[in-house]
Amino acid sequence: MQKNDMAVIEITDIGVGGEGIGKIDGYTLFVKDAVIGDRAEVKVIKAKKNYGYARLMRVLEPSPYRVEPRCRFARQCGGCQLQEMSYGRQLAFKEQKVRNSLERIGGFSPELLDRITEPAVGMEEPFGYRNKAQFPFGTDKEGHPVTGFYAGRTHDIIANTDCALGVPVNHEILESILEFMEKHHIASYDERTGTGLIRHVLIRYGFATGEIMVCFVINGTSIPNAGDLIKSLTAVPGMTAITVSVNTRRTNVIMGESFEVLWGQGYITDYIGKIRYQISPLSFYQVNPVQTEKLYSLALEYADLKGGETVWDLYCGIGTISLFLAQKAGQVYGVEIVPQAIEDARRNARLNGIENAEFFVGKAEEVLPAYYERYEKEHGGEQARADVIVVDPPRKGCDEALLDTIVKMQPEKVVYVSCDCATLARDLKILCGNGYTLKRVRPVDQFPMTVHVETVALLTRDVV
C-alpha cells in the first residue's frame, strides 16, 4: 500500500489506542474512528513496509458495536477515542487490553489469566463523570476568545464549552468567563508569541458536596476587572473557591507552581466513601469519584486487612488510598514526591480524625530503601517488614530499586494499582520472579469513552 491509496477493509481488531485494525492481503492498516466489525472505505495517510495508517472515509456497513456519539466533536477532539463504540464493547476492549499486556509483556499464561482475571468494573452512566477539567483558551479567526479541548495530536482548540464527560455546570462557568473576556477585551494566551493573559481554566467539582472551584492560569500577575469576574462566577450555585495560578513560562506545563485566592477559600471538599478530602488547585485527586470509590474499595478488599497490619502506600498523592486503608490497618505509611500533596495528606488525616497514618515526602524509590537500610542499622541487623505494600505509580511504573526493596521487606501481600497495563505487566513479572504469585487481577473503567484503564492486581508471597 502507498500513501493516498483507497481501500475497502473489514475492521477485525482494536489497537491499544482504540484505533480499528484491518488487513488487505496481509498488510495491516490502523484506522482511527473505525469500530471492530465495521466494513469501511479508508484512505492511506502513512505507509510503512508492513503496516500503515489510514483515515476513515465512509462506513459502508456499520459494526453492531457502533453507536451514535453523544458529542458532535467526538471524532475531532483528542479527549475521547471510543465514543462511537458501545459501552459494553468498550469494557470488553479494556479487559482484553489488560490481558494482552499480562500475556505478552508479563509472560503470564492464558490458563492462569482465565482463572484470576475478573470482569472490568464499569459505570451505570459513563458520561458526566469528570470532577476536574482543564480548559485551554485561545482566539478564533474573528479574534474572539474560545475555549474547549485540543484536537487530536494538535494544539488547535475545538471550541466546545459543553464536554459530554464533564459536569453540566462547566458550560455555565465557561460561557460566563468568555463573556467577561469579550466585555473587558482580555486576550487569550498565544503559545506562538507568548502573549495574552488567560492560558487555562481549571474547574473542580465535588460530587458529594456540590462545591465548585475555578482556578485561572494566567500569563501575568493579575486579572483586570477581577471584581466583575468574581461577581458573575459567585452567582453560580455551589461556587466555593476562585483562585489564580501564575504561569509565565513558555512551557506546555499547565499549572504554575503556586496559587492565590481571589475569592472564598483555597480548596473544596469532597468525599470518597466516608473519608473527607480537602482538594486545592494543585492537589492530585482522581477525576472520577464514582469509580474511585470502587477502585479503592477493591484495593482494600485485596489487602484483606484484619486490624493490626503495617501497610506502606507508595505514590500516595494526597492520601486517598492511605486513609481508606487506615480505616482497617494498624499503621499506614504514605510516601509521595510532591510536598504540597503530603501537606494535603496530613491535613486530610487530621480532618478525618485518623491518627494511624504517617506521611513522608520523597521519591518512593529512595524513601523506602533508605528506611529499610536505616531500620537494619538501628535494630542490630533485623530487617524491616511490612504486612501489605500498596503501590499506585505513575505511567512509568515502579523503579527497580523500589521493587527490590519490596521483595526484601517480604510483605504477605502486594496490591498494585496501575494506570498503565504495560508497565504493570513488566513489574508483576519482576515480583513474580522473586517469590510472589499473581492471585487476582481486575480492570476498573476510570475513564469511559477513552482507551485508558486502571487495573488492580493482588500478589501474595510464596510460602517457602
Side-chain angles (χ1 to χ4, degrees):
M1 300 294 293
Q2 296 182 346
K3 185 177 179 180
N4 295 325
D5 280 354
M6 301 291 292
V8 173
I9 62 172
E10 304 279 347
I11 303 299
T12 58
D13 204 353
I14 314 172
V16 294
E19 64 278 4
I21 301 175
K23 291 188 176 184
I24 299 175
D25 298 327
Y27 187 84
T28 302
L29 284 174
F30 295 88
V31 187
K32 180 181 175 293
D33 302 314
V35 174
I36 188 169
D38 279 343
R39 182 171 176 269
E41 183 180 40
V42 303
K43 181 179 182 179
V44 178
I45 56 175
K46 183 186 291 186
K48 303 273 188 177
K49 183 178 179 181
N50 298 314
Y51 66 94
Y53 298 90
R55 178 178 293 114
L56 178 65
M57 305 304 290
R58 278 194 306 153
V59 177
L60 302 176
E61 294 178 19
S63 163
Y65 307 117
R66 177 173 284 279
V67 297
E68 189 67 27
R70 185 172 296 192
C71 173
R72 63 193 176 97
F73 301 110
R75 288 185 64 175
Q76 303 156 259
C77 180
C80 293
Q81 301 88 37
L82 304 178
Q83 208 177 119
E84 293 176 279
M85 183 187 295
S86 69
Y87 187 56
R89 191 62 184 84
Q90 290 183 36
L91 294 178
F93 158 69
K94 294 182 181 188
E95 289 174 8
Q96 193 61 47
K97 182 178 180 177
V98 171
R99 185 181 175 115
N100 286 348
S101 290
L102 292 174
E103 282 188 34
R104 182 172 51 84
I105 301 170
F108 296 99
S109 71
E111 294 76 19
L112 172 67
L113 296 175
D114 283 343
R115 294 197 306 272
I116 67 171
T117 305
E118 302 167 58
V121 180
M123 296 192 74
E124 290 183 17
E125 175 47 61
F127 290 96
Y129 61 80
R130 289 189 64 98
N131 60 15
K132 171 190 172 185
Q134 296 173 127
F135 298 90
F137 275 66
T139 306
D140 66 16
K141 293 177 181 178
E142 287 74 41
H144 301 293
V146 294
T147 188
F149 293 97
Y150 293 127
R153 298 182 179 85
T154 76
H155 269 210
D156 298 329
I157 295 174
I158 296 171
N160 178 20
T161 58
D162 195 17
C163 171
L165 303 189
V167 290
V169 74
N170 289 349
H171 173 67
E172 181 181 354
I173 292 168
L174 293 172
E175 289 294 335
S176 180
I177 293 168
L178 291 171
E179 183 179 334
F180 165 81
M181 292 174 68
E182 287 271 18
K183 178 180 176 181
H184 294 285
H185 308 289
I186 293 174
S188 300
Y189 179 69
D190 186 328
E191 290 182 343
R192 293 165 297 178
T193 64
T195 59
L197 184 65
I198 308 296
R199 296 178 70 132
H200 281 79
V201 168
L202 162 69
I203 303 175
R204 289 185 183 269
Y205 177 79
F207 269 58
T209 62
E211 295 179 2
I212 301 169
M213 170 192 292
V214 176
C215 181
F216 293 88
V217 183
I218 61 172
N219 179 43
T221 56
S222 63
I223 301 174
N225 305 107
D228 196 6
L229 177 62
I230 290 169
K231 183 178 179 181
S232 65
L233 291 179
T234 52
V236 178
M239 189 61 63
T240 304
I242 302 174
T243 61
V244 62
S245 179
V246 173
N247 182 3
T248 57
R249 296 167 295 169
R250 300 288 290 270
T251 175
N252 287 334
V253 175
I254 294 175
M255 299 295 294
E257 295 179 354
S258 61
F259 68 93
E260 296 180 6
V261 177
L262 290 182
W263 177 88
Q265 57 197 30
Y267 60 87
I268 62 170
T269 58
D270 202 14
Y271 287 82
I272 300 176
K274 297 179 181 179
I275 304 296
R276 186 183 180 196
Y277 298 92
Q278 284 187 358
I279 308 151
S280 76
L282 301 178
S283 296
F284 171 79
Y285 188 70
Q286 291 276 8
V287 301
N288 185 337
V290 174
Q291 292 299 89
T292 296
E293 183 170 355
K294 298 175 186 176
L295 179 74
Y296 292 172
S297 296
L298 192 58
L300 190 60
E301 176 189 330
Y302 280 17
D304 191 26
L305 301 173
K306 305 301 182 186
E309 294 90 347
T310 297
V311 181
W312 282 82
D313 176 20
L314 308 176
Y315 312 96
C316 70
I318 64 170
T320 42
I321 293 182
S322 301
L323 302 184
F324 240 63
L325 296 167
Q327 298 174 95
K328 296 286 183 70
Q331 180 68 39
V332 176
Y333 299 103
V335 181
E336 172 59 51
I337 191 173
V338 181
Q340 176 66 46
I342 288 297
E343 289 178 23
D344 288 343
R346 291 169 178 159
R347 186 183 304 110
N348 288 327
R350 292 193 297 270
L351 189 66
N352 290 279
I354 292 174
E355 298 179 350
N356 61 330
E358 188 176 349
F359 297 96
F360 303 95
V361 177
K363 294 181 179 179
E365 58 267 28
E366 294 176 359
V367 172
L368 194 66
Y371 167 83
Y372 181 84
E373 291 176 12
R374 186 172 66 251
Y375 187 96
E376 196 170 34
K377 289 177 182 177
E378 293 174 355
H379 293 79
E382 181 184 346
Q383 293 183 338
R385 298 291 298 272
D387 297 299
V388 179
I389 292 181
V390 177
V391 294
D392 185 7
R395 294 195 181 282
K396 67 178 182 178
C398 294
D399 186 275
E400 282 192 37
L402 178 61
L403 294 173
D404 181 57
T405 305
I406 290 173
V407 170
K408 287 178 181 176
M409 290 181 71
Q410 298 183 337
E412 295 298 319
K413 301 184 189 76
V414 176
V415 179
Y416 197 130
V417 180
S418 170
C419 60
D420 187 296
C421 51
T423 54
L424 168 70
R426 179 200 68 198
D427 292 349
L428 294 185
K429 183 177 183 179
I430 292 171
L431 291 170
C432 289
N434 286 277
Y436 283 84
T437 296
L438 184 59
K439 290 290 189 178
R440 297 177 71 181
V441 175
R442 190 161 199 185
V444 179
D445 191 19
Q446 287 282 101
F447 311 102
M449 307 300 137
T450 80
V451 296
H452 305 296
V453 59
E454 295 270 330
T455 310
V456 184
L458 169 66
L459 301 102
T460 59
R461 187 164 64 90
D462 298 339
V463 178
V464 180

